[in-house]
Amino acid sequence: MLCLSNGACRGDAGQPLRCEWDGCYVEFGRRAELKRHVDTLHISPSSHKCPKPGCKKSCSRRDNLKVHVRRVHGQNI
């Protein structure tokens, strides 16, 4: 794998980094993007649950949950 100083990485022969999860064919140019993808979609999807009583919304990323709470419930967390 080749990684540049700006964080962009390429696998063998300059190819983009591919998710190796079974059945997933997404490619990324940066190692951090691949890691976030694997963490949020394959390892712990919907791990952030809305704290408002009665709301069943869950998100794979905390920043998305914060946006939900602000837009739907008019509050900050």
Side-chain angles (χ1 to χ4, degrees), residues 6-8 13 17 20 30-33 37-38 41-42 59-60 67 70 73 75 77:
N6 67 1
L17 299 168
E20 295 182 2
R30 295 177 187 259
R31 186 177 7 185
E33 294 167 342
H37 164 80
V38 170
L41 294 178
H42 299 303
C59 301
S60 60
V67 170
R70 187 176 67 244
H73 304 296
Q75 297 178 337
I77 58 170

Side-chain angles (χ1 to χ4, degrees), residues 2-3 6-7 10 12 15 23 27 29 58 63 65 71 73 77:
L2 169 68
C3 292
N6 67 1
R10 296 285 182 237
D12 295 333
Q15 298 299 315
E27 296 179 343
S58 62
D63 60 324
L65 178 62
R71 286 184 181 168
H73 304 296
I77 58 170

